[in-house]
Each structure stands twice: as structure tokens, then as C-alpha cells.
């Protein structure tokens, strides 16, 4: 079954990491851990901290809009995926829209680490409604809800933002080939933060559920697109733990050569992680027109989402 679209291209991508870095070595001062353990068990080498979600989102969005060669008047909708909004109320998207000078609807998506991929799927729906250009942003100031003295969670999370301008493509050179999206609320208590508190996590259970969710979601998206793992030129998974990716890839049949990672440099930046990797993959020339790329997210909720895109967007 083909996926209804009006064509789908990411015409400009941008990302931003705040300057301040906490290395694994820095963390050994506040918790019983080691650089070796964190690298071996997660693949993380450092994480960036500082800035608010709206500040980081605004910087990444400006870069994406510049690369897409669009002005604020061209954007029909802002979708901002975040787990760490500036305020509980209002959403962070209106502030970002104001900073960017947009004149359109602005809405937060709270689907944890899957949020940016949820945003792509929502954007396709809005493009089908007649909109032409949607700004889809993932931005996080996770240092606001992370305890950097807790070795269970403090080794993992960092700040960052990534953004893309998503457009219709009448030629269909660029297209959304398939998508999958889901949630399982029975797992809310394996990763959560209560009002005014920090993230709490059952790491082993999140690991197990993440592998299952990735396998299911990527499998569904491949089947709907009529593709196999070998047909995908580049997979960009959510960056949480390299061992989660390796475990999921065993059944899916993906190789790490097909996979773009940025975990060592960023840690887990939740909704920002996939567009942060995408920006780097473009810098490295890993996407060409006609490439097939999969975006695969999972996160607290549990939530998961996958899209397969035929690339005809920005190349560098
Ligand atoms: O976006 C989703 C966000 N969350 C995740 O993706 C988290 C998914 N889970 C994980 O990434 C992993 O479960 C962790 C990285 C959190 C933990 O790794 P693990 O391989 O599951 O470790 P474990 O909890 O099974 O602990 C193994 C050992 C234990 O020691 P013993 O009992 O074997 O002596 C822990 O006490 O490692 C110890 N340990 C640590 N040692 C040094 C646990 N955390 C640390 C640490 N530094 N930070």
C-alpha cells in the first residue's frame, strides 16, 4: 500500500550544540563511574549542556531555514518536539516562532525521543492538507531534568537541537515511502520525570523495550515500503546507547556501515538526536539525491516511530 503524500523533501537541515561540555572524566568527580565503563556500555564520550530549549531550537532552525533558502513568511507551521520545554505551560514552540519571526501555528510535540520522527509524520499530514513548508524541530535542554550525580541517568543525557524544513515535492523525486508510529503506556514508569523532579529510569528494561520497539517499527516501515534492509542507504537511529542499536540490528539485518551515529559526541539528546545526526551525515556527504534514508526513534512512553524517505532534499 503506497503512503499518501504530496511529495516530501527536507530542503534544509540545521543543528546546534551548546558550547559547554561535560566529559566522562568530568563525571567521575560526582559519581562512581569511569570513562572506560561509559564508553564500553553506552558509546558515549561527552555531552553538551547549557542554553534553554527555545534558544537551542531557534539557532538550529535559523540554520535550517537558511539552507532551505526560506524566510519566516514561507513557513506554514512549526512543530517542535521536546521533552524538556522551557515551561510546563505554555508550550515552547510559540516562543521559538516569535524569535524566528514566523506567522503561523506553533505546537509542541511531547513524544520523548521519538518526537522528531512523530513530527515528520505529522508534517506529511499537514502537507496533504495543503500546506507547503513545515519547520520540524527537535530540541532539548535535558540538563534541566538530569541529575549529574546519579550514575544511572547522569552518564546519558545532554542538550542540543536539530531542525529541518520539510516541503512538498511535486516531482515526487523526494518522497515519504512509509511510516510507522506507536505507543505503549504500560511502560510509563520505566522512564519518567515528575513535575519539578529529574529523570528516573529502569535502564535494563528501557534497553529491552527499546530493542523490541526498534525491531517492530523498522520492520513495519520496511514492509509497508516494500523494501528490505539492504535497500536502505542510511539508517539514522535515535542515539541512546550503541549497544541498543547493535542488538536491534541483529534481527533487522542492518550493518553499522549503513548507520549514522553521533553518540560519542552528543550523548542522548532525546528528540534532538536524529536531526543532529542528519546534519552531520549531510556534512559528510552521506546522502545524495535518490538515497533511501530511514529515521528510527524510540523513547519514554514508550513511544516509537519510523519513516523511510527517498532523499531529494539538501545535499552538501
Ligand atoms: O532514550 C532512551 C533513554 N534511555 C536509555 O536508552 C537507557 C537504556 N539502558 C541503557 O543504556 C543501559 O541499561 C545503561 C547504560 C543505563 C546501564 O547499562 P547496563 O549494561 O544495562 O548496566 P547494568 O545496569 O546491567 O549494570 C551493570 C553493572 C552493575 O554492577 P554489578 O551489579 O554487575 O556489580 C552496575 O552497578 O554496572 C554497574 N553500573 C555502573 N558502573 C559504572 C551501572 N551504572 C554504572 C556506571 N558506571 N555509570
Amino acid at each position: 500500500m503506497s503512503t499518501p503524500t504530496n511529495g516530501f523533501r527536507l530542503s534544509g537541515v540545521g543543528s546546534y550544540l551548546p558550547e559547554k561540555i561535560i566529559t566522562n572524566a568530568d563525571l567521575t568527580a560526582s559519581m562512581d563511574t569511569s570513562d572506560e565503563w561509559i564508553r564500553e556500555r553506552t558509546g558515549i564520550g561527552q555531552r553538551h549542556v547549557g542554553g534553554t530549549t527555545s534558544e537551542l531550537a531557534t539557532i538550529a532552525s535559523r540554520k535550517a531555514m537558511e539552507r532551505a533558502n526560506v524566510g519566516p513568511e514561507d513557513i506554514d507551521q512549526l512543530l517542535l518536539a521536546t521533552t524538556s520545554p522551557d515551561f510546563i505551560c505554555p508550550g515552547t514552540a510559540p516562543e521559538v516562532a516569535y524569535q524566528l519571526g514566523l506567522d503561523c501555528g506553533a505546537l509542541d510535540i511531547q513524544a520523548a525521543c521519538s518526537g522528531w520522527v512523530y513530527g515528520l509524520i505529522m508534517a506529511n499530514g499537514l502537507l496533504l492538507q495543503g500546506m507547503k513548508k513545515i519547520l520540524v524541530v527537535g530540541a532539548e535542554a535535558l540538563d534541566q531534568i538530569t541529575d549529574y550525580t546519579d550514575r544511572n541517568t547522569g552518564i546519558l543525557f545532554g542538550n542540543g537541537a536539530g531542525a529541518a524544513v520539510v516541503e512538498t515535492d511535486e516531482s515526487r523525486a523526494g518522497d515519504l515511502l512509509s511510516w510507522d508510529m506507536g505507543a505503549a503506556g504500560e511502560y510509563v514508569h520505566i522512564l519518567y520525570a515528575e513535575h519539578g523532579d529529574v529523570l528516573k529510569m529502569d535502564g535494563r528494561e528501557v534497553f529491552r523495550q527499546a530493542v523490541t520497539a526498534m525491531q517492530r517499527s523498522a520492520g513495519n516501515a520496511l514492509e509497508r515500503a516494500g523494501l528490505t534492509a539492504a535497500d536502505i542507504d542510511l539508517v539514522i537511529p535515535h542515539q541512546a546507547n550503541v549497544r541498543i542499536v547493535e542488538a536491534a540490528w541483529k534481527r533487522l539485518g542492518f550493518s553499522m556501515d549503513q548507520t549514522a551515529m553521533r553518540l560519542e559526541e552528543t550523548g542522548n539528546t532525546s528528540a534532538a538526536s536524529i536531526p543532529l545526526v542528519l546534519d552531520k551525515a549531510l556534512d559528510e556527504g552521506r546522502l545524495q539525491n535518490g538515497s533511501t534514508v530511514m529515521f528510527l526513534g524510540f523513547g519514554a512512553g514508550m513511544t516509537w516511530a519510523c519513516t523511510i524517505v527517498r532523499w531529494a532534499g539538501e545535499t552538501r
Side-chain angles (χ1 to χ4, degrees):
M1 193 184 76
S2 72
T3 300
T5 72
N6 285 331
F8 191 89
R9 56 194 290 266
L10 278 64
S11 56
V13 175
S15 70
Y16 180 69
L17 291 164
E19 271 173 35
K20 191 172 177 215
I21 287 171
I22 299 180
T23 64
N24 292 346
D26 293 335
L27 287 176
T28 61
S30 57
M31 63 176 77
D32 180 14
T33 192
S34 66
D35 177 49
E36 228 182 338
W37 192 95
I38 299 171
R39 281 179 191 275
E40 254 171 42
R41 307 294 279 200
T42 69
I44 296 169
Q46 60 177 34
R47 63 290 294 141
H48 292 248
V49 292
T52 65
T53 294
S54 60
E55 287 166 357
L56 306 178
T58 301
I59 299 170
S61 297
R62 286 209 173 100
K63 293 185 188 180
M65 288 167 65
E66 205 171 294
R67 287 191 171 124
N69 201 20
V70 299
E73 65 286 355
D74 298 317
I75 301 294
D76 296 317
Q77 176 74 36
L78 169 64
L79 299 175
L80 173 66
T82 186
T83 316
S84 46
D86 288 3
F87 299 100
I88 290 173
C89 174
T92 306
E95 170 69 19
V96 176
Y98 171 67
Q99 293 299 332
L100 294 170
L102 308 187
D103 182 17
C104 63
L107 168 78
D108 286 16
I109 296 175
Q110 165 48 301
C113 311
S114 316
W116 189 77
V117 186
Y118 264 63
L120 290 184
I121 300 164
M122 304 292 121
N124 183 55
L126 293 170
L127 295 175
L128 282 166
Q129 294 291 316
M131 289 188 181
K132 299 291 182 209
K133 291 181 172 62
I134 320 280
L135 182 59
V136 186
V137 189
E140 301 285 5
L142 290 174
D143 59 355
Q144 308 278 348
I145 52 168
T146 300
D147 176 357
Y148 288 104
T149 65
D150 172 11
R151 72 176 188 169
N152 187 34
T153 55
I155 59 168
L156 298 176
F157 300 107
N159 294 3
V165 176
V166 182
E167 305 191 5
T168 53
D169 183 356
E170 279 169 23
S171 75
R172 296 298 181 98
D175 216 346
L176 181 64
L177 302 181
S178 70
W179 55 268
D180 179 72
M181 185 163 53
E186 63 269 36
Y187 296 112
V188 63
H189 286 298
I190 64 175
L191 178 54
Y192 65 97
E194 289 183 292
H195 287 297
D197 202 356
V198 292
L199 285 162
K200 303 276 164 57
M201 181 178 75
D202 176 346
R204 284 185 201 187
E205 191 57 22
V206 173
F207 194 115
R208 264 193 292 275
Q209 295 303 330
V211 172
T212 306
M214 287 172 92
Q215 288 175 340
R216 180 167 40 179
S217 200
N220 286 344
L222 283 169
E223 192 183 320
R224 284 171 201 155
L227 298 174
T228 67
D231 298 319
I232 305 295
D233 296 306
L234 191 68
V235 192
I236 304 187
H238 170 50
Q239 313 280 297
N241 185 327
V242 71
R243 288 165 49 228
I244 292 179
V245 177
E246 287 165 351
W249 277 195
K250 273 186 193 150
R251 198 187 303 165
L252 284 164
F254 290 126
S255 71
M256 289 309 281
D257 287 346
Q258 273 169 294
T259 309
M261 298 296 293
R262 200 176 175 176
L263 189 59
E264 199 275 339
E265 178 194 0
T266 63
N268 182 344
T269 58
S270 192
S273 85
I274 292 175
L276 270 162
V277 181
L278 173 60
D279 198 27
K280 188 179 170 206
L282 284 163
D283 277 345
E284 292 172 346
R286 293 185 77 177
L287 281 172
Q288 308 306 324
N289 285 332
S291 298
T292 309
V293 56
M294 174 185 280
F295 302 111
L296 178 56
F298 63 88
M302 295 281 295
T303 59
W304 56 86
C306 183
T307 57
I308 302 177
V309 172
R310 185 168 59 234
W311 194 264
E314 189 203 342
T315 54
R316 290 176 205 161

